[in-house]
Amino acid sequence: MDTLWTSNDIATAVNGEASTAFAASGVAFDSREVGPGDLFIALSGEATDGYRFLDQAYAQGAAGAIVSAAANGPNVRVADTFAALEDLARAARARTTARIIGVTGSVGKTSTKEALFAALDRSAPGATHRSVKSYNNHTGVPLSLARMPAATRFAVLEMGMNHPGELAHLTTLVRPHVAIVTAIAPAHTQFFPDESAIADAKGEIFLGLEPGGIAIVPYDSPHRDRLIAAAQPYASKIVTFGTSKDADVRPIETMPLKTGGTFVTARIGERELSFTIAQPGAHWVSNALAVLAAVDAVGGDLARAGLALGELGGMAGRGARFVARVPGGEALVIDESYNANPASMEATLAVLGATPGRHVAILGEMRELGVATAEYHAALAAPIIAANVETALLVGEAMAPLASALEGRIELRHVPTAAAALEILPEMLAPGDAILVKGSNGVGLSRVVAALAGGMA
């Protein structure tokens, strides 16, 4: 395994003291993820104290740890382990010459990040880095930076937020050369007065742009001008993407494919590129345009990026598809169980509507929507009907307004929990069904996906 950090490098970066010499090939702060050669950072949080899992980390092969108290293994001792994590992130960012892309948005940021990684990895195989999973918050972003090898050529880092000011801090750690806002939509509205405030918070990503940096903005968004105004003081160039003929990166032609994907001919500045998007849905056309804009901005190979988009598979919880055994036969499952807001619900319901088979929607409540929660849920009735959903299983108390709006229009069941959904699910499914599973992560619909993957016959 290649060395990512030596104990001396770590001690210098975090202003700590090493107990002995060691070398680490990875970084983790979740003891469940620690593997041989990793550096374990013992963070203290509201829910638990990483120091309690220090011995477990060593037993799993940790090469060393960052700690704020005495330890029985190789370590670097500091006053504050969270501050040390951020310092290590800054050191990783300072030592690389990589072209860095930061990605944020209300919807599509993880999918766009994964597509960008696949596209750039074609240009620099083995030298492209990304955030894993959805590590996009105050701990996930510095961890992703700390994991970045010094020889990285391209890096794609996802940044999320649910309060004003969060991105302003994260972007100063990432210091991107290119910053993307994928879309603005109702998400975390519990913490914002309106969508304009969400746009302002997402626009904070431009604060950290490096000199000569490029901002990539969704042209079709009603908040386009607001985002452009946020970018102008910090970006040397602003690139727009979208379906409008006035967008800098736009489709000239799109054609749906029998496989569910889309064939696209796009204009990127003065150039044209024809390619296939493997993933279904109009939202993926938008994601792909943002990807091409970013690949072009960092000097990647557009043709190879197009090939990557044509081979991109769905992620678990974000569009992965599999065939499940159901009573009497098999059915197709579309796994969108990781998260949900009104915009992503509508987009994935449209994908379900375009999928052959009897349409079954297993939908969990959307969280952090504030005072308009009932209205947002009730409004899902229209896209559900438009998608020709024949059977719906609604999960969570906040789904009550939607259940009322759909009553008498489709076959419908409403249950309070994912556990209750699992009890009645087999009787609702039939061979040939197309089943969409989507909801906020806290609802726990990943359990439903796991049950389907394990076979319910």
Side-chain angles (χ1 to χ4, degrees), residues 336-340 365-367 438-446:
E336 288 275 358
S337 60
Y338 185 79
N339 214 342
E365 64 186 22
M366 302 175 291
R367 297 184 173 177
K438 187 168 182 64
S440 286
N441 192 39
V443 180
L445 292 187
S446 58

